[in-house]
Every structure is written in C-alpha cells, then in structure tokens.
Amino acid sequence: MDAPADAFDDPIRSALCEMLSMRLGLHFPPERWPDLLRRMAPAAAELGYRTVRDGLHGLLAKPLGQRELEVLGRHLTVGETYFFRDPEIFAALEQHLLPDLIRHRRDTTRRIRIWSIGCSSGEEAYSIAIAVANRLPDLEQWNVSIQATDINLQALTQAREGVYGNWSFRTPLPPAWQRWFYAPRAGHRAVAPQIKSLVSFSYLNLMDGHYPTVETNTNAMDLIFCRNVLMYFHPQRVAEALERIGNSLLGGGWLVLSPVESALVTAPPLRPRHLPGVLFYQKAEADGTCPLAAEPMTHPPHTTSSAPAPHHGRTSPPISEPSPPAPSLPPPAPAPAQTLVRQAREQADRGQLTEALASCDQAIAQDKLNPAWAFLRASILLELGYDDAAAAALQRTLYLDHDFVMAHVTLANLLQRRGRHASACKHYRNALELLAPLDAQQVPLEADGMTAGRLREYIAATLAAGGEAAPGQMER
C-alpha cells in the first residue's frame, strides 16, 4: 500500500501522535514522521483499510480495540533482540545480583521473581532464566518465576515455541550456556524444557496500567529488565511507566535499563548503582535506605515441620491434588477482622508474605464466609509459590461467590501456567460472561483498579495468544 505524503495533514498528524502516546506510550517527534507514515502503511492494510488515509481516519474515528492496539504495536515498535545481548549486563547479573539474592533467600523463601518487559520473541527472558539456572545447582528446590510481557502477540507465540535460528545467537554464548539448548533441526536451536518451564509469556501494554497486580503477575519483583522500551516512549508516558515499574519492585529490588535510557530515570526511589561495566537502579527500602544487598523480605519466614517446601508451579503435583497447609505465624493479639485484612494487605505490599498470610488467616477465622478474604488469601499464597494451596483458596472463593470475576481470572492464569489450557479457557470464558453486562468503566471487586472494559481486552488478548477466540466482539 502506498503512503502518500499528504496522508499526514496537521490535524490528523497531531491526533494520531496523541493517540499513540496515550494508548501505547509511543513518541513520534517531527524527525520520525516519515518513519511513522512508512510503518502505518502495512498496519492499515492489515486492519483492512484500502489506503493509508482511510486507515488514519478510521483509527481516529473510534476508541481503539484490542486488535488495533496489537497491530499498531507490532508495526510501530522495534523487536530487535537476541541471546546474551550486552554480555556485561549478564556478567553483573551472574556474578553480583543473583549470588547476593540467592544468599539471602536460600534459608528463607527460596523465591526469585523477575520481569522481562518488552520481551519480543523471548531471547532476553530465556537468557535471564539461563543465568538463574547457572547459579542454582538445586534449581528444582526453588520457586523461580520469570514473567515476560509484550504487546506483540505474534512475537509472544514465537517466544512460547522457544525455537530460534542462527541470527538469535549472533553474540557467542558462554560455554556454560550451551547445555541449555538442543538442535531440533538444521540451522535452529531450541531452549531446553527446564529453562522454558521457568518463563511465562503474556500480553501487557504498559499504558493500560494493569500493573503491578497479582492478576498479571507483575508485583513483588526482585528484578525487572526493561531495556530499549522506554526510549521510544513520550517523555510524559516514561514518567508514568517508571512510577508503576518502580511500584512493581520490592524494596531493594533492581531495575535494568539500556545505557541510552539511564537519563530517563528521575524517580527518587530508584537509585543509580554502578557495578563492573554497567549502571543499574535499585529501589530504596521504605525507610529510604538503599543497600547493595537485594533483600526484600523484612523478616525471615516462620517455618514448622508441617510447612510445605516452596516449589515451582510446573513441577508441583496436579492442581486437583490436596496440598499440605501453607505456613502460618503464631496469631498475635486478637484484632477486628477488618483491621487484620488491612494489615495483611499492607504486609503483602511490603513483601512480608508469611506475616500477611497469618493476618489473613486470623481474619478468615472470624468470618469464614467472606469471599473477598478467601481471594486475598489465594493471592498471598500465589506470591509465596504455593500453587496448590492457592488453587484451593480460589476454588473456595468461587464456592462462596461463583460470580467473583477476579477469582475466575486468577485461577485461569494459574491453570494456564500449569499447562491446563482447557480448564483455564473455561474460567476465562466464565469471567467474560460475568463482565459482559458491566459498564466498560466499572471496576470489578478486587480488580485493583482494572476496569471491566480493560479486563475484557486483557482476557481476549490472552485467549488470542493461546490460539483461542473470545466469544462475541471485543469492546471497541
């Protein structure tokens, strides 16, 4: 499709740039307008418009739906990535950050949470997983969660396959990395199943504000990679995204940007930290201190002989099997249930998950029929890595209130991560049916500010990423 220069008159150009900034965060200053027009041509054709001008007018005539956002995101962003990109970053990760984190977690939770933002076709996320695996000879005894997100559904599909050509390996791999690949066919290498099991891929638009939340698995992170993403954002959108990304980190957690993005960080909680050859950012603790040690747990968890060992969701027993009780601290002095619930939420936000679970259990003891508290308990258990106990708590929530939308969504996410796609789709579709009569701006219970309209788009995108069609039409 040709892209005539007059397709961009001033009103259309201004409206388009504003829309792309608001919905995708993307910034196209005057020097990038020719590039924007060139990229809009195939996007308009894919969306069924006869000409670029028709496409521009059509996109501006109504609110963008999920399909339009996905197509625009795919054509207007750069998905350049490969394994072991910027070796000095992975050297710092393997030699400094991970050893420190492992040392502080080995005798406590054995839990590591990492987020790769703008993961594209997955090479960065798998590189992170390999770095973790190389530092953990007892990997199976740890609960490692690497969440990888992007707005490009096509790239996410490739990432889940985990098979790559030679161009993805244009930086020579260290010898310790070679063992994590095998050759499925000539000219290709595939990621080993043990590494693939550590990574979950999902759709997320940084401008939608669906983070940090338990539902999108973007909260309580120890380490966030966000490289070569914010450099394409409008300056105002950068500040918004960095604030939310900072909120996704635990105190003492780390943010990794590309060198050209370092000047974008102005938020006081994120402090520059120089490691050999690289500049990272570390989130200050609540008291304003910022130790080099990554130690987000304020107190070591209380353990008893009946507490199950933390495990990774994919290697635990089937979700339908009974789980041993999750750990709980000795109850403090009696307090009103509402006070205990508020305390549990505050403790969870600080990363004091075992203490939060104890507070929640004490509240539930006073009111066993409150579905919102059962859901809160499930959310805490998920963060602790007790998938089976969390599933039981979510099923309890739905027993108390079968119309609890977020319980369906969270259980679906858990089932999807465990490979039970048919059961996950059932709960996603239940959620969509419950959301259908709601106003687009209405916020469902425990949705953490996510509107019904945005939640419908998130579920539809998740189903589409898995090859499933959502019933009905997505909101436009």
Side-chain angles (χ1 to χ4, degrees), residues 319-324 374 377-378 381 386-399 411 414:
I319 205 167
S320 59
E321 294 186 10
S323 301
R377 186 174 193 272
L381 287 166
Y386 299 109
D387 285 3
D388 293 330
L394 289 168
Q395 289 162 350
R396 171 70 176 171
T397 305
L398 292 172
Y399 172 78
L411 184 56
L414 174 56

Side-chain angles (χ1 to χ4, degrees), residues 402-425:
H402 189 266
D403 294 341
F404 201 121
V405 172
M406 293 313 300
H408 281 292
V409 174
T410 306
L411 184 56
N413 289 343
L414 174 56
L415 290 163
Q416 184 84 353
R417 194 169 72 243
R418 303 285 291 276
R420 298 185 57 182
H421 305 299
S423 297
C425 285

Side-chain angles (χ1 to χ4, degrees), residues 333-375:
Q338 292 287 354
T339 300
L340 288 166
V341 168
R342 184 171 62 253
Q343 178 177 293
R345 294 184 188 278
E346 292 172 352
Q347 289 168 328
D349 288 342
R350 294 194 299 268
Q352 298 170 294
L353 298 178
T354 310
E355 292 90 335
L357 182 61
S359 298
C360 187
D361 284 345
Q362 292 168 51
I364 291 174
Q366 298 183 36
D367 183 359
K368 295 182 174 63
L369 301 181
N370 191 315
W373 299 353
F375 180 78

Side-chain angles (χ1 to χ4, degrees), residues 106-120:
R106 182 169 291 283
D107 296 326
T108 56
T109 62
R110 293 199 173 193
R111 181 175 68 98
I112 296 175
R113 290 173 57 78
I114 301 174
W115 182 12
S116 170
I117 299 176
C119 67
S120 188

